[in-house]
Amino acid sequence: MTDTTKSIRPFRIDIAQAQLDDLAARLARTRFGTPLPGDDWKTGVPTSYLVELVAYWRDEFDWRAQEKSLNTFPQFVTEIDGQNIHFLHVRSPEPDALPLVLTHGWPGSFVEFLDVIGPLTDPVAHGGNPADAFHVVVPSLPGFGFSGPVRESGWNIHRIAGAWAELMSRLGYDRYGVQGGDIGAGVSPEVARIARDAVAGVHLNGNIGVPVHDVDEAERASLTPLERDRLDRVLRFLTDEFGYISIQSTRPATLGAALADSPVGQLAWIVDKFREWTHPREALPHDVVGIDRLLTNVMLYWLTDTASSAAYVGYMQESSWGTANSVSGIPTAVIVFAHDVGIRRYAEREHAITRWTDVEDRGGHFAALEEPATLTADIRDFFAGLR
């Protein structure tokens, strides 16, 4: 008998028209909140900006066009450890390409990587060297998008990493690289710890090497000006932005009840983070990543009803957060764009850092969306010596 739990099935996005009609009706009868004094980003997403975004979403955004574009990428689903896993699997035309797993974070999705898939899988078509080619696998995290919702608790980064190792084994890959940011930057090194013999290298972007201890004045004085700036921004984050983590990690179901019923609430919750975490911070998020890409990402949360499930998986990580991990010994590269706050000396406590790149003048937390060319070049350069 065939073990159906290990089967890999083709997947195609095909949202029922009734869902789109329901969304249109909800958007048409949106009740916007009364603007707070100043109606600016100090108190969250300004009502005036939200009104503009919703008008575009309602009147101009074409989901069917986005759906058709997403379906040009080969997609599949499989069940691992009792959980449905959706993923893109784009093979390179180069037979000797290195397999590479790309892992997104919150509030992102697999759409973060759409602009890097082509250059990574087919470098020749994008002015690159065929020796730099990758077979690309982009899973949707458990609880996110078409992998959601989760069926049981316990999906921390260790369990997700085990699922990724199993996924790559099912695809027939016995040696591969891993890359990720945000939650993906936690999952990717864990894959290397679980599957040391299979992982050729780990490439990360984002907040890698954030101190979880109090930094005294002597230690602070030993930091470079760039490192001190990043430390200061970590401290500001803990006082000014930590609220969303507190809510999602303690009351994801309560939050989810609101987001599951209001597409505009879902939009605002995600857009708030895109504004805070893209670079430059003063720019409107849709100007940085593109309004259609921004809304497509939001649609994946809305259409799959995974707002609370993603919050639950993303931040109810039990002992995973703030816990020191062992160094896998696998070569690891980190690229830190202008918004992010990675500090190498702290990262080296958990990672075998062999390459560290600081990009001080551009780029934010959503590296693949904001700086796809720079990210692609760094991935290529790092893995060139590990093939």
Side-chain angles (χ1 to χ4, degrees), residues 33-47:
T34 302
L36 295 176
D39 194 32
D40 55 31
W41 290 96
K42 294 178 181 178
T43 52
V45 182
T47 301

Side-chain angles (χ1 to χ4, degrees), residues 125-317:
H126 295 81
N129 187 329
D132 290 328
F134 297 89
H135 300 306
V136 171
V137 178
V138 190
S140 296
L141 288 166
F144 286 68
F146 298 111
S147 286
V150 287
R151 300 172 183 172
E152 57 187 26
S153 62
W155 280 100
N156 57 25
I157 59 174
H158 180 81
R159 187 173 177 184
I160 295 169
W164 280 196
E166 171 63 20
L167 174 62
M168 295 304 281
S169 176
R170 290 187 189 183
L171 293 174
Y173 296 134
D174 56 12
R175 189 169 185 272
Y176 50 88
V178 290
Q179 198 284 330
D182 194 79
I183 298 173
V187 171
S188 299
E190 196 67 15
V191 178
R193 295 184 185 101
I194 289 172
R196 282 182 171 86
D197 293 338
V199 177
V202 180
H203 187 283
L204 309 172
N205 63 274
N207 303 327
I208 315 303
V210 177
V212 295
H213 63 282
D214 292 331
V215 177
D216 60 28
E217 285 304 314
E219 184 176 348
R220 179 182 174 83
S222 72
L223 300 176
T224 68
L226 177 62
E227 290 172 336
R228 284 196 293 272
D229 173 69
R230 289 175 178 173
L231 177 62
D232 289 340
R233 287 192 284 121
V234 169
L235 297 176
R236 286 199 298 272
F237 173 86
L238 292 175
T239 58
D240 298 345
E241 288 190 59
F242 199 77
Y244 81 97
I245 293 180
S246 296
I247 294 172
Q248 294 198 158
S249 63
T250 60
R251 293 294 184 271
T254 303
L255 173 66
L259 302 186
D261 192 57
S262 171
V264 177
Q266 176 71 89
L267 172 67
W269 191 250
I270 290 178
V271 164
D272 182 82
K273 294 302 130 199
F274 269 81
R275 194 271 177 168
E276 292 298 322
W277 297 347
T278 50
H279 183 82
R281 182 169 177 266
E282 297 75 22
L284 293 174
H286 76 270
D287 287 335
V288 178
V289 303
I291 192 166
D292 284 340
R293 188 60 55 82
L294 179 67
L295 288 172
T296 298
N297 182 67
V298 172
M299 287 286 280
L300 291 184
Y301 284 80
W302 175 257
L303 295 173
T304 59
D305 188 18
T306 51
S308 61
S309 185
Y312 178 76
V313 170
Y315 293 99
M316 191 169 284
Q317 291 288 338

Side-chain angles (χ1 to χ4, degrees), residues 346-362:
Y346 301 124
E348 288 177 335
R349 297 176 179 179
E350 298 187 4
H351 308 281
I353 307 294
T354 60
R355 176 186 174 94
W356 185 280
T357 305
D358 290 312
V359 183
E360 300 180 40
D361 60 343
R362 65 188 188 280

